[in-house]
Amino acid sequence: MTDKQGLALVDLDEDGVDRAFRADVLKGLRQPQKAVPARWLYDDAGSQLFEDITQIPEYYPTRAETEILEDREHDFAEAIGPGRAVVEFGSGSSVKTPLLLRAIDPAAYVPLDIAGDFLRAAAADLQEKFPALPIYPVEADFMREVALPEAVADMPKLGFFPGSTIGNMVPRTATDLLRTMRATLGESSKLLIGMDLIKQPDVLEAAYDDAGGVTAEFNLNLARRINRELGGSIPVETFTHVARWNDDFARVEMHLEARQDVNFKVSGEAFEMAEGDTIHTENSHKFSRHSSATLLMAGGWTPVQRWLDKEQRFSVILAEATIPRSAP
Ligand code: AVI
């Protein structure tokens, strides 16, 4: 359900249950390969656990991307130039956004996020760091076209989508999002996007299955959330977190694997799983130079520059809104 600005509202039933959550979980658990959309990993506990993940030694993407943003300040200033309205898809983390804002001297900053409280807190925090910068937070679901504030209508835009969050979407959804971003940002806009790189499977699997078990907690928290919010009886202790590289689709998959045959209920509906069956909970696609360019172009963006961290683990790509041409 959305309001007139395309803003997603939580639609609760008479028992206070999020209808979309229940519908996604029940639909996903009825499939032969059980699956729950990854967005449901992020309740309060899940969001905190993700913050913890960004600090663990094995999870390199946050550090690698931050290194690029720190080291390439002058390149960004030159390639992007001053005077743009920076539109960030998902509220800025306290570390990455200031690095970009400092580098390019923007005319305004527009953080978009569906979580209003988080959005306003992040905006207030940034306003303290950049007192002279006009900041216009917009509470919206950026998977749909967003009407940007009037005040930035005439400014050229730079979309900012760090973190390789694009990798959590299957290519079809990622393409839809890139096209939607282009519609939101308009002609002659640019996009600065983080995209994680394909690398040795053992490095990737360790990043998603750390020795300290933080990612396992993040994944298992979904089962706990289902039990708590949907009256579920999933025996969480009989499930194991699994992170595996799927080479056919160039992605790390997270699953919850049953270690023995189990029966459980969710919202009154019965489910059974045999030992070794899994619930697929997340994809994290990784990219090559070619696959990132192909995805961006499919979404209406032409990559113009690409930066890697010193260990060549992660890429930050600058793209321009492609001008539609019929030839060749
Ligand atoms: C948010 N997203 C980019 C993270 C990733 O790397 O795919 C989510 C994550 N899942 C497990 N670890 C991190």
Side-chain angles (χ1 to χ4, degrees), residues 209-220:
D209 189 8
D210 56 291
V214 182
T215 313
E217 274 309 300
F218 174 64
N219 198 7
L220 289 161

Side-chain angles (χ1 to χ4, degrees), residues 121-190:
D125 195 46
L126 265 162
Q127 191 72 82
E128 265 183 39
K129 292 192 177 96
F130 298 88
L133 180 69
I135 299 182
Y136 307 102
V138 176
E139 192 173 339
D141 176 5
F142 62 70
M143 299 299 287
R144 298 154 210 258
E145 187 175 338
V146 178
L148 296 177
E150 230 2 83
V152 303
D154 295 330
M155 298 174 188
K157 316 287 186 307
L158 173 75
F160 184 42
F161 195 41
S164 202
T165 303
I166 194 82
N168 293 130
M169 294 159 212
V170 293
R172 178 182 168 176
T173 315
T175 309
D176 285 349
L177 173 60
L178 289 166
R179 295 170 75 93
T180 302
M181 286 175 166
R182 197 180 179 291
T184 294
L185 298 170
E187 301 296 320
S188 73
S189 55
K190 296 181 192 249

